[in-house]
Each structure stands twice: as C-alpha cells, then as structure tokens.
Amino acid sequence: MAETALTNPGESPARAAGWQGIAADWSSDQRAFKNVSWGKAMMWIFLLSDTFIFSCFLLSYMTARMSTTVPWPNPSEVFALTIGGHHIPLILIAIMTFVLISSSGTMAMAVNFGYRRDRAKTAALMLATAVLGATFVGMQAFEWTKLIMEGVRPWENPWGAAQFGSSFFMITGFHGTHVTIGVIFLIAIARKVWRGDFDVERRGFFTSRKGNYEIVEITGLYWHFVDLVWVFIFAFFYLW
C-alpha cells in the first residue's frame, strides 16, 4: 500500500476492509495528504506551528503595550537615523522592508525556473535571494547595535516602558533567526541545483535522499512565510 502511494501520488490507495482499514486511516496520512508530497506537507505543518508562535509573540507584545501605564517609546523617534544633518524616521526599517519584499520576487522567479529545470537561472536567483536576506540580517544587526549603544536592554530603555526592549529583541531576534536559517538553506539548495544533483539523482551527504526540484518550491514556501511575518511585525511594532 505504501509503495502504491509513493509511485502513484495522484491515485487513492486501496483501503483495507474492516478494522484494518479504520486503523490504517487513523495511523497514516494516506487520506489527508494523498495528493501532496511528504516534504510539502511537512513544510505546511511547520509553517502552521510557526504561525502560532509568532501570533503569541505579537499578542503578548500588544498586551504588554496596552496594559502598561508608562508611556511607550515613539517608534518614529527610536528608529530614526540622522543622515546629512536631517532626522529621518524609520528610514532604515523602510529599506529593510523593501529588501526583504524584493527577495520574495527573486524567490518566486527561482521557483518558476526550477520547474523548468533551468539550473543556471534557478541557482542565480536563489543566490540573489540569499544575498538580499543576508543584507536584511546585516541591517538588523546594525539596528540592534545602534539601540544597544543608546542604552536599550531587555529590562530597560531610556525612553519609557521597560517592556519595549524585551519585546523588540524577542520578536525581531526570532524573526532574524528565521531569515538567517533561510539564507543558509538557500545557499545549500542553490549549490545542489548548480551542480545538477537533482538531474543525476545524486544522494545528499546528510540525509542520503536523492531529492528533486520540488525542494526549490518548498524553500520558497518558507521564504515567503518569513517575508509575510515581517509585514505583520512592521505594521504592529514599527507603525503602531
């Protein structure tokens, strides 16, 4: 039955009769994910669990902000940069957002060329996405360094409510970790695409799996999720 599901993913596997069929339904994913690959289903489950975590972080941030009686720091002043003698609010955050949203475009094109089995363009676009992601992380590191030098800590800050620092480091740090992991995976998958591992069905070093171009789409799912989460962080943390 398992072999049938792997070799003919579009067909419904034969269901055993009686109690054996009921046990098979409860103990496997043959009914729920019969038309979806294992890798893609696992990525969607992971993204769903990650959605709950980010939602809890943002809800706790909103609760802390609305419940405190101490004035909350003004994001336009805290996240402003002085360029050429001019105080420009949120300029760094705007550039970071533009860079990350642009990386979704290059990732979408990489998925498109991946299904066309165009190795050169797929690898180049994935590397371009990784460069944009690394740029975002670099600017986030600059933002962290600037705020730490100005006295922001998880337990205090010079502008108001003490919860501001812990909320900022927790939410942006968790998201930045996701971006960093995504950059590492983008580089690893781009290398495999460039070498033609999926065309010659070369087994991976760590998992011994042959893999295929679907991993490009799965990586894209993760990357688009990371970008989407940033939109919510940008709206709730920097614009509110």
Side-chain angles (χ1 to χ4, degrees), residues 111-142:
V111 173
N112 184 20
F113 284 110
Y115 275 105
R116 297 181 188 182
R117 295 180 178 271
D118 190 328
R119 291 193 294 112
K121 291 181 180 177
T122 303
L125 287 165
M126 292 188 77
L127 289 177
T129 306
V131 169
L132 291 171
T135 303
F136 174 87
V137 174
M139 288 190 288
Q140 194 171 54
F142 172 81

Side-chain angles (χ1 to χ4, degrees), residues 9-238:
E11 299 178 2
S12 299
R15 185 179 185 277
W19 287 105
Q20 289 185 349
I22 296 174
D25 281 347
W26 279 88
S27 61
S28 72
D29 61 356
Q30 60 173 329
R31 300 292 170 184
F33 300 118
K34 61 184 178 181
N35 294 323
V36 180
S37 69
W38 177 86
K40 202 180 292 185
M42 293 301 102
M43 177 54 73
W44 277 114
I45 292 174
F46 169 76
L47 296 182
L48 181 62
S49 63
D50 233 15
T51 300
F52 288 134
I53 296 175
F54 275 109
S55 299
C56 289
F57 281 175
L58 290 175
L59 286 173
S60 63
Y61 160 71
M62 289 189 290
T63 302
R65 179 164 179 174
M66 290 187 293
S67 60
T68 181
T69 56
V70 182
W72 197 263
N74 185 353
S76 297
E77 297 177 1
V78 175
F79 300 107
L81 288 181
T82 303
I83 302 176
H86 298 282
H87 200 64
I88 306 177
L90 298 176
I91 180 64
L92 179 63
I93 311 303
I95 297 173
M96 290 169 61
T97 304
F98 176 78
V99 168
L100 201 59
I101 298 301
S102 299
S103 70
S104 264
T106 56
M107 189 67 236
M109 288 190 288
V111 173
N112 184 20
F113 284 110
Y115 275 105
R116 297 181 188 182
R117 295 180 178 271
D118 190 328
R119 291 193 294 112
K121 291 181 180 177
T122 303
L125 287 165
M126 292 188 77
L127 289 177
T129 306
V131 169
L132 291 171
T135 303
F136 174 87
V137 174
M139 288 190 288
Q140 194 171 54
F142 172 81
E143 180 190 32
W144 273 46
T145 304
K146 172 180 174 294
L147 292 180
I148 290 173
M149 293 179 65
E150 291 174 348
V152 179
R153 299 291 186 272
W155 53 87
E156 67 176 357
N157 71 83
W159 302 293
Q163 298 93 328
F164 171 81
S166 57
S167 301
F168 170 77
F169 288 122
M170 179 180 67
I171 295 175
T172 60
F174 193 61
H175 179 265
T177 302
H178 277 68
V179 177
T180 303
I181 293 173
V183 169
I184 294 172
F185 271 91
L186 281 168
I187 295 173
I189 301 301
R191 179 173 176 268
K192 293 172 73 69
V193 171
W194 178 259
R195 293 194 311 183
D197 288 9
F198 302 139
D199 295 324
V200 299
E201 297 187 343
R202 179 183 298 170
R203 293 186 181 275
F205 171 74
F206 184 70
T207 62
S208 296
R209 295 172 62 87
K210 294 179 180 178
N212 53 54
Y213 280 95
E214 190 187 54
I215 191 64
V216 179
E217 182 184 359
I218 294 174
T219 307
L221 287 174
Y222 176 84
W223 194 258
H224 294 316
F225 171 79
V226 170
D227 289 1
L228 179 63
V229 168
W230 177 254
V231 173
F232 284 94
I233 294 175
F234 178 76
F236 281 90
F237 204 92
Y238 295 98

